């Protein structure tokens, strides 16, 4: 799987990026309420798991299976998660005052992460 920003986690600092990861990694980014961190805790063939921390809150997502992924919407007053089949979802749409995080599991053990900031 290829990603627009390759494996450069610093591309995510502003809350907008598309990167590929094949091992656990911590990705700092600017969230709706200041500094936030996306921690990929597990990645393998057709699986990905992560935790998003912002302020005192956190959100977790994990999937396994072909074509599976998770979307987390991080807002200043909390976050929401949904996981399942992504199909041909493409890049998530920006939402006002939010960062949308999409993690798509890949067959080759690489996950593609997309962060889209609505600022």
């Amino acid at each position: 799987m290829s990603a627009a920003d390759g494996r450069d986690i610093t591309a995510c600092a502003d809350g907008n990026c598309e990167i590929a990861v094949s091992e656990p990694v911590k990705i700092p980014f600017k969230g709706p309420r200041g500094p936030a961190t996306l921690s990929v805790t597990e990645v393998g063939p057709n699986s990905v798991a992560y935790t998003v921390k912002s302020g005192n809150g956190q959100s977790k997502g994990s999937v396994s299976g072909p074509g599976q992924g998770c979307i987390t919407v991080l807002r200043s007053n909390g976050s929401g998660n949904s996981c399942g089949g992504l199909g041909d979802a493409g890049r998530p749409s920006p939402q006002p005052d939010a960062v949308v995080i999409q993690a798509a599991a890949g067959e080759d053990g690489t996950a593609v992460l997309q962060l889209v900031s609505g600022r």
Side-chain angles (χ1 to χ4, degrees):
M1 294 177 94
S2 63
D5 296 310
R7 296 180 180 271
D8 181 10
I9 64 170
T10 62
C12 298
D14 65 353
N16 285 289
C17 66
E18 179 183 71
I19 63 168
V21 298
S22 55
E23 59 190 23
V25 64
K26 286 187 190 269
I27 304 164
F29 67 95
K30 185 177 180 186
R33 290 179 56 188
T37 305
L38 169 60
S39 299
V40 176
T41 54
E42 184 183 316
V43 62
N46 292 317
S47 69
V48 63
Y50 64 89
T51 303
V52 180
K53 291 185 180 175
S54 176
N56 294 329
Q58 78 171 23
S59 183
K60 293 184 178 195
S62 68
V63 291
S64 62
Q68 300 291 301
C70 290
I71 295 176
T72 298
V73 180
L74 185 62
R75 296 184 176 87
S76 58
N77 61 351
S79 62
N81 241 19
S82 67
C83 295
L86 290 177
D88 296 326
R91 188 167 172 81
S93 300
Q95 296 189 23
D97 300 319
V99 177
V100 182
I101 299 160
Q102 179 175 291
E107 287 180 30
D108 61 357
T110 301
V112 173
L113 307 176
Q114 296 186 67
L115 279 68
V116 180
S117 179
R119 289 191 256 312

